Amino acid sequence: MIAQSGAQASILLTDLYQLTMLQGYFDQRMEDTAVFEFFVRKLPAKRNFLIAAGLEQALSFLENLRFTAEELEWVSGHGAFRPAFVRCLEELRFTGDVHAMPEGTVFFPNEPILRVTAPLPQAQLVESRLINLLHFQTLIASKAARSVLAAPDKLLVDFGLRRAHGAEAGLLAARASYLVGFAGSATVLATPLFGIPSFGTMAHSFIQAHDDESVAFEHFARSLPENVILLIDTYDTEAAAAKVVRIAPKLEREGIRIKGVRLDSGDLADHAFKVRRILDEGGLGQVTIFASGSVDEYVLEELMRKKAPIDGFGIGTHMDTSADAPYLDCAYKLVEYGGKARRKRSEGKVLWPGRKQVYRRYLDESRMAEDVLSLEGDQQSGEPLIELFMQGGKRTKASEALRALRARSLDQIRRLPTNLLSLKTASVYPVTVSEAVRDLARQVDAAQREHENVNGAV
């Protein structure tokens, strides 16, 4: 029996066709080296760039790849798989190489952010979970980066766990948003797991559970004297701000200082201006205003335009679900097998063959100017973006601290061309496909046509 609590770590968290293909590969002894690349075909509407994320979880998955006795029992009992194949799965481990863009790297369509080189059955089996891990964190990191662009000098906190699409999504959204510049998360488990700073205030229920709003404020302040942030929009926002002013001297005499107030509904800009005036006139100029409630990058952009006196924001549902662009058109495709380049030519889904590298060129060594997509051995000018992270199934370097990934991401965002900083679709960033890639594509196509003609003649 496979326990539900450990389901996210199970090798059976995959598509059935991965196993059925492995049966076919086993029958035909197809175990030569295969090369697969993960990339995004096109940007969603209103996205000018993406940020690579999820590599750490992908590498951990590959390191621990194996079938447990319970999983093998399930495969054996399925009915589609023969005993000799099931016995083969007992020894399956990932023994391949992984090249990738480091997490926090800005990238663009058709640029591979991960390449797996391994015996075909291994490289095939890991497809679904790798896409699952890389797609989600890249999606959320790219969405969260837009809030960082909209409000670069504000405190931004992930508030999205409760409406995230499952427990893993909530945790990984906290990680992905911190990676691109958020200050932390309200999700408690993100702190012990990832070292992400935790933030929290109170809910309306705490206020409602008291008969008197001022008493609720005082009780909360005395319980958490080092982090007094009071939610003031349960009933009347401005009236509650006035109550905060009235109780502040009493709390001060007890050695407790009110750190901030939080707004969670209504016209945030209007309330913020009124609350700021009430607090300032009451001698509480040091008290900050924090806002939440259906906030996303578009709301932030409008609040910044109005110069609303808000010091920080909780970003929740819209970010953790990437509500305006809930998926990426991404793929993990075979580009080489048995030493021969391979190319998919399906209508609307043509891909470039061969092991690739991306070179980035800069304007005055600061702003990104152009990327060149080339083959691994075709040296181009610029900075190569794809690095070796795993060889022979073992990591080649220690995991980077999340803070280091965050610093890289923020540096990458600072180096974006100015025309890509808009929250609306701007001009397309230039990605040039090298002649080496184009020549290889022509060779693969010609060889495929020749093969089809010969077989057709026979």
Side-chain angles (χ1 to χ4, degrees):
M1 188 71 175
I2 299 170
Q4 186 172 339
S5 60
Q8 291 170 355
S10 174
I11 200 170
L12 296 183
L13 186 59
T14 188
D15 293 299
L16 181 62
Y17 78 176
Q18 308 295 2
L19 294 173
T20 57
M21 284 189 286
L22 258 63
Q23 175 73 73
Y25 295 152
F26 176 81
D27 292 344
Q28 301 302 318
R29 301 294 188 265
M30 295 178 66
E31 297 179 348
D32 287 349
T33 298
V35 181
F36 283 79
E37 291 182 341
F38 175 87
F39 60 96
V40 174
R41 291 190 179 97
K42 60 183 179 181
L43 295 175
K46 297 184 180 179
R47 295 288 188 275
N48 298 324
F49 63 90
L50 298 172
I51 296 183
L55 177 61
E56 175 61 31
Q57 284 67 41
L59 293 175
S60 179
F61 164 66
L62 294 174
E63 278 184 310
N64 295 289
L65 189 74
R66 56 183 47 81
F67 282 87
T68 66
E70 292 81 4
E71 290 160 348
L72 289 170
E73 182 180 0
W74 183 90
V75 174
S76 180
H78 181 274
F81 307 108
R82 290 183 279 283
F85 170 66
V86 177
R87 288 194 297 274
C88 171
L89 296 181
E90 293 180 16
E91 304 302 320
L92 188 142
R93 302 290 186 272
F94 183 75
T95 62
D97 302 342
V98 175
H99 292 75
M101 290 186 188
E103 291 192 83
T105 302
V106 164
F107 73 99
F108 301 93
N110 295 311
E111 297 181 343
I113 66 168
L114 177 134
R115 181 170 75 237
V116 170
T117 306
L120 179 59
Q122 297 175 27
Q124 182 74 71
L125 178 62
V126 300
E127 174 187 13
S128 298
R129 184 58 168 153
L130 287 181
I131 293 176
N132 176 256
L133 290 167
L134 295 170
H135 169 267
F136 180 74
Q137 285 200 69
T138 296
L139 178 74
I140 302 305
S142 304
K143 172 71 169 174
R146 292 161 60 81
S147 288
V148 174
L149 286 174
D153 300 319
K154 302 296 182 179
L155 178 79
L156 302 178
V157 180
D158 162 46
F159 265 30
L161 172 63
R162 63 188 58 195
R163 295 194 183 98
H165 296 163
E168 183 181 56
L171 278 170
L172 295 182
R175 182 182 186 273
S177 59
Y178 182 76
L179 188 150
V180 298
F182 272 46
S185 174
T187 302
V188 175
L189 189 56
T191 300
L193 279 185
F194 305 127
I196 296 172
S198 57
F199 290 79
T201 58
M202 57 164 63
H204 293 290
S205 55
F206 188 89
I207 304 296
Q208 293 173 275
H210 290 76
D211 293 330
D212 185 283
E213 190 174 33
S214 293
V215 172
F217 290 160
E218 292 182 30
H219 284 176
F220 189 82
R222 293 188 181 102
S223 293
L224 293 102
E226 301 302 318
N227 189 40
V228 183
I229 300 175
L230 305 173
L231 180 61
I232 62 172
D233 71 328
T234 305
Y235 305 117
D236 183 305
T237 302
E238 285 71 41
K243 293 175 184 177
V244 171
V245 170
R246 285 197 294 273
I247 68 171
K250 182 196 298 187
L251 293 173
E252 284 273 3
R253 288 191 292 273
E254 298 175 30
I256 301 171
R257 299 193 69 186
I258 297 172
K259 183 177 179 181
V261 297
R262 176 177 154 219
L263 309 173
D264 192 50
S265 59
D267 186 328
L268 294 177
D270 181 61
H271 284 309
F273 280 114
K274 292 175 179 176
V275 168
R276 184 75 272 160
R277 184 177 64 252
I278 293 169
L279 295 174
D280 290 348
E281 291 175 353
L284 299 182
Q286 82 285 355
V287 172
T288 61
I289 297 176
F290 187 85
S292 56
S294 297
V295 177
D296 63 8
E297 67 266 38
Y298 306 109
V299 172
L300 288 177
E301 186 176 52
E302 181 64 13
L303 290 170
M304 296 304 102
R305 186 186 67 79
K306 293 179 177 179
K307 295 182 169 54
I310 302 174
D311 303 286
F313 298 89
I315 317 293
T317 304
H318 291 280
M319 183 187 72
D320 283 42
T321 62
S322 190
D324 66 328
Y327 71 95
L328 299 174
D329 182 5
C330 59
Y332 173 90
K333 294 300 180 184
L334 181 72
V335 296
E336 181 186 306
Y337 176 61
K340 296 180 180 179
R342 308 284 170 154
R343 187 186 193 204
K344 179 179 176 180
R345 290 188 293 163
S346 304
E347 185 176 348
K349 295 184 178 181
V350 176
L351 62 84
W352 296 111
R355 309 180 190 200
K356 290 176 282 295
Q357 176 61 274
V358 178
Y359 293 90
R360 179 156 294 160
R361 298 167 181 171
Y362 296 90
L363 182 65
D364 300 327
E365 298 184 358
S366 57
R367 296 282 180 180
M368 299 174 190
E370 176 192 23
D371 285 4
V372 177
L373 178 68
S374 193
L375 297 178
E376 184 179 44
D378 180 44
Q379 183 70 37
Q380 297 280 334
S381 63
E383 174 192 6
L385 301 183
I386 298 173
E387 303 174 11
L388 178 66
F389 278 87
M390 184 176 278
Q391 190 168 39
K394 305 294 183 183
R395 295 199 195 212
T396 58
K397 57 184 75 176
S399 298
E400 283 190 87
L402 191 52
R403 285 185 178 274
L405 301 179
R406 186 172 185 267
R408 175 186 294 117
S409 179
L410 289 170
D411 179 64
Q412 291 268 300
I413 292 171
R414 281 191 290 269
R415 301 179 79 175
L416 282 166
T418 54
N419 65 320
L420 299 187
L421 301 180
S422 168
L423 299 185
K424 303 175 180 65
T425 301
S427 57
V428 176
Y429 179 82
V431 178
T432 300
V433 179
S434 73
E435 277 305 308
V437 172
R438 295 182 183 277
D439 285 344
L440 181 60
R442 286 189 283 267
Q443 294 169 23
V444 172
D445 290 350
Q448 182 65 29
R449 284 193 295 269
E450 181 179 354
H451 178 78
E452 291 169 355
N453 290 337
V454 169
N455 284 350
V458 173

